[in-house]
Amino acid sequence: MSDWTPDDLGHGYEKRTIALGEDPDGEGTIEATLVRHTPPDSVRAAVLYVHGFSDYFFQDEMARFYTERGFAFYALDLRKCGRSRRPGQTGHYVSDLAMYDRELDEALAIVRRETGDKPVLMSGHSTGGLIIPLWLDRMNRRPGGTRGAGVVGVVLNSPWFDLQGKSWMRTVGTRVIAAVARFRPKDMIKLPATDAYGSSLHVSGHGEWEFNTAFKPLNGFPVSYGWLTAVRRGHAQLHRGLDIGVPSLVLRSTRSRPARSWSPDVDEADVVLDVKQIARWSGCLGDAVTVVPVDKARHDVFISKKEPREAAYAVVDTWLRATGLIGS
């Protein structure tokens, strides 16, 4: 399937399937889904957004922020995620983050063809904020590098740069997880149940956002040993240092606040990741890195409460002007 069809998000959104053939992880035929928003009359550049774990693209406000500034906006639901998941497939499962290069390469090619080879800004949240730099680092080693492929910058929103929690989980715990993954990669890790973050966002709980809870469950998808091992290998690659070849903007909350159930404090902190780890490892991206903490932001700074998310968008606007992607 290569034609654009109306997307359930409405508001001028369309989607297109990217066929990926047989799953290397043995779960049948797989595909990714590229979503686009009605472009502005005059396109200066494009944005390609990648979601995180237990997530998919639904952020209409983000798309409109970019289209109002002359960007054509696209978002990619990765294989087995959101719009792309098919019956019988393990949600978000992949045994190697490098497998995502396939749909990222194809999505970038589509965006470039449709926009007349305009420059592309990549944007990623959480796990997407890890996947994108790893992909760009590999791209930057190809002939022409990242810029030769048309990518000119990256905006990362609370990227997952290390494993949160107790320090032993990043050492002994990681080795145990990898050992189990060798034999039972799709077994799920027993983790405490929590809907603190999901209920802080959705209109059915304490939030203001409408989204498909089959695609983004309030208590998240279960985490498998194999998938987490793939993420930990990605973390190790990042920690050794990348060279993504383009400037990056990293946004995060000013504080973390682990929680299993909602309280008002959950609305003003990152309850998913450790923001100190984001700060620690951001310099490993290579090229020029700008890191900006956003006070009272949630894990996804762009679906925080009104004041912090407006502050986050103002930071992006300033950075885009400073990098020359939009006029002063």
PDB file of all heavy atoms in Angstrom, residues 32-44:
ATOM      1  N   ALA A  32       5.252  -0.171   8.889  1.00  0.00           N
ATOM      2  CA  ALA A  32       5.263   1.075   9.643  1.00  0.00           C
ATOM      3  C   ALA A  32       4.227   2.001   9.024  1.00  0.00           C
ATOM      4  O   ALA A  32       3.735   1.749   7.911  1.00  0.00           O
ATOM      5  CB  ALA A  32       6.649   1.711   9.614  1.00  0.00           C
ATOM      6  N   THR A  33       3.874   3.067   9.722  1.00  0.00           N
ATOM      7  CA  THR A  33       2.857   3.989   9.230  1.00  0.00           C
ATOM      8  C   THR A  33       3.378   5.413   9.287  1.00  0.00           C
ATOM      9  O   THR A  33       3.779   5.895  10.362  1.00  0.00           O
ATOM     10  CB  THR A  33       1.566   3.884  10.065  1.00  0.00           C
ATOM     11  OG1 THR A  33       1.157   2.524  10.153  1.00  0.00           O
ATOM     12  CG2 THR A  33       0.451   4.717   9.420  1.00  0.00           C
ATOM     13  N   LEU A  34       3.376   6.074   8.154  1.00  0.00           N
ATOM     14  CA  LEU A  34       3.781   7.477   8.087  1.00  0.00           C
ATOM     15  C   LEU A  34       2.524   8.339   8.058  1.00  0.00           C
ATOM     16  O   LEU A  34       1.609   8.090   7.270  1.00  0.00           O
ATOM     17  CB  LEU A  34       4.624   7.725   6.833  1.00  0.00           C
ATOM     18  CG  LEU A  34       5.273   9.098   6.706  1.00  0.00           C
ATOM     19  CD1 LEU A  34       6.279   9.341   7.829  1.00  0.00           C
ATOM     20  CD2 LEU A  34       5.969   9.233   5.337  1.00  0.00           C
ATOM     21  N   VAL A  35       2.473   9.320   8.921  1.00  0.00           N
ATOM     22  CA  VAL A  35       1.335  10.243   9.017  1.00  0.00           C
ATOM     23  C   VAL A  35       1.804  11.612   8.569  1.00  0.00           C
ATOM     24  O   VAL A  35       2.923  12.035   8.877  1.00  0.00           O
ATOM     25  CB  VAL A  35       0.813  10.309  10.473  1.00  0.00           C
ATOM     26  CG1 VAL A  35      -0.374  11.263  10.577  1.00  0.00           C
ATOM     27  CG2 VAL A  35       0.423   8.918  10.970  1.00  0.00           C
ATOM     28  N   ARG A  36       0.957  12.319   7.833  1.00  0.00           N
ATOM     29  CA  ARG A  36       1.309  13.689   7.446  1.00  0.00           C
ATOM     30  C   ARG A  36       0.146  14.626   7.741  1.00  0.00           C
ATOM     31  O   ARG A  36      -1.021  14.221   7.751  1.00  0.00           O
ATOM     32  CB  ARG A  36       1.681  13.775   5.965  1.00  0.00           C
ATOM     33  CG  ARG A  36       0.525  13.585   4.999  1.00  0.00           C
ATOM     34  CD  ARG A  36       0.983  13.714   3.549  1.00  0.00           C
ATOM     35  NE  ARG A  36      -0.142  13.511   2.623  1.00  0.00           N
ATOM     36  CZ  ARG A  36      -0.033  13.460   1.303  1.00  0.00           C
ATOM     37  NH1 ARG A  36       1.166  13.601   0.735  1.00  0.00           N
ATOM     38  NH2 ARG A  36      -1.106  13.288   0.533  1.00  0.00           N
ATOM     39  N   HIS A  37       0.485  15.873   7.978  1.00  0.00           N
ATOM     40  CA  HIS A  37      -0.500  16.923   8.189  1.00  0.00           C
ATOM     41  C   HIS A  37      -0.538  17.815   6.962  1.00  0.00           C
ATOM     42  O   HIS A  37       0.465  17.939   6.247  1.00  0.00           O
ATOM     43  CB  HIS A  37      -0.133  17.754   9.417  1.00  0.00           C
ATOM     44  CG  HIS A  37      -1.183  18.732   9.831  1.00  0.00           C
ATOM     45  ND1 HIS A  37      -1.077  20.075   9.596  1.00  0.00           N
ATOM     46  CD2 HIS A  37      -2.372  18.550  10.447  1.00  0.00           C
ATOM     47  CE1 HIS A  37      -2.154  20.695  10.056  1.00  0.00           C
ATOM     48  NE2 HIS A  37      -2.951  19.795  10.576  1.00  0.00           N
ATOM     49  N   THR A  38      -1.682  18.419   6.706  1.00  0.00           N
ATOM     50  CA  THR A  38      -1.798  19.334   5.568  1.00  0.00           C
ATOM     51  C   THR A  38      -0.672  20.362   5.618  1.00  0.00           C
ATOM     52  O   THR A  38      -0.527  21.087   6.617  1.00  0.00           O
ATOM     53  CB  THR A  38      -3.145  20.063   5.599  1.00  0.00           C
ATOM     54  OG1 THR A  38      -4.198  19.092   5.608  1.00  0.00           O
ATOM     55  CG2 THR A  38      -3.304  20.973   4.389  1.00  0.00           C
ATOM     56  N   PRO A  39       0.180  20.426   4.598  1.00  0.00           N
ATOM     57  CA  PRO A  39       1.350  21.308   4.650  1.00  0.00           C
ATOM     58  C   PRO A  39       0.970  22.776   4.465  1.00  0.00           C
ATOM     59  O   PRO A  39      -0.111  23.088   3.945  1.00  0.00           O
ATOM     60  CB  PRO A  39       2.201  20.816   3.477  1.00  0.00           C
ATOM     61  CG  PRO A  39       1.213  20.269   2.504  1.00  0.00           C
ATOM     62  CD  PRO A  39       0.118  19.655   3.339  1.00  0.00           C
ATOM     63  N   PRO A  40       1.836  23.683   4.869  1.00  0.00           N
ATOM     64  CA  PRO A  40       1.597  25.107   4.614  1.00  0.00           C
ATOM     65  C   PRO A  40       1.684  25.397   3.119  1.00  0.00           C
ATOM     66  O   PRO A  40       2.166  24.570   2.340  1.00  0.00           O
ATOM     67  CB  PRO A  40       2.719  25.797   5.389  1.00  0.00           C
ATOM     68  CG  PRO A  40       3.806  24.777   5.459  1.00  0.00           C
ATOM     69  CD  PRO A  40       3.125  23.450   5.549  1.00  0.00           C
ATOM     70  N   ASP A  41       1.220  26.570   2.702  1.00  0.00           N
ATOM     71  CA  ASP A  41       1.244  26.937   1.274  1.00  0.00           C
ATOM     72  C   ASP A  41       2.673  26.995   0.741  1.00  0.00           C
ATOM     73  O   ASP A  41       2.944  26.626  -0.401  1.00  0.00           O
ATOM     74  CB  ASP A  41       0.546  28.284   1.064  1.00  0.00           C
ATOM     75  CG  ASP A  41      -0.947  28.210   1.351  1.00  0.00           C
ATOM     76  OD1 ASP A  41      -1.515  27.103   1.230  1.00  0.00           O
ATOM     77  OD2 ASP A  41      -1.530  29.248   1.720  1.00  0.00           O
ATOM     78  N   SER A  42       3.593  27.466   1.571  1.00  0.00           N
ATOM     79  CA  SER A  42       4.991  27.553   1.172  1.00  0.00           C
ATOM     80  C   SER A  42       5.837  26.776   2.166  1.00  0.00           C
ATOM     81  O   SER A  42       5.917  27.147   3.344  1.00  0.00           O
ATOM     82  CB  SER A  42       5.434  29.017   1.127  1.00  0.00           C
ATOM     83  OG  SER A  42       6.799  29.118   0.794  1.00  0.00           O
ATOM     84  N   VAL A  43       6.447  25.690   1.710  1.00  0.00           N
ATOM     85  CA  VAL A  43       7.215  24.805   2.592  1.00  0.00           C
ATOM     86  C   VAL A  43       8.689  25.205   2.570  1.00  0.00           C
ATOM     87  O   VAL A  43       9.316  25.236   1.514  1.00  0.00           O
ATOM     88  CB  VAL A  43       7.056  23.334   2.161  1.00  0.00           C
ATOM     89  CG1 VAL A  43       7.965  22.435   2.984  1.00  0.00           C
ATOM     90  CG2 VAL A  43       5.605  22.888   2.280  1.00  0.00           C
ATOM     91  N   ARG A  44       9.253  25.503   3.750  1.00  0.00           N
ATOM     92  CA  ARG A  44      10.674  25.856   3.851  1.00  0.00           C
ATOM     93  C   ARG A  44      11.507  24.648   4.263  1.00  0.00           C
ATOM     94  O   ARG A  44      12.702  24.580   3.986  1.00  0.00           O
ATOM     95  CB  ARG A  44      10.875  26.981   4.850  1.00  0.00           C
ATOM     96  CG  ARG A  44      10.563  26.602   6.279  1.00  0.00           C
ATOM     97  CD  ARG A  44      11.028  27.655   7.275  1.00  0.00           C
ATOM     98  NE  ARG A  44      10.210  28.861   7.227  1.00  0.00           N
ATOM     99  CZ  ARG A  44      10.712  30.079   7.024  1.00  0.00           C
ATOM    100  NH1 ARG A  44      12.003  30.241   6.831  1.00  0.00           N
ATOM    101  NH2 ARG A  44       9.919  31.123   7.015  1.00  0.00           N
TER     102      ARG A  44
END
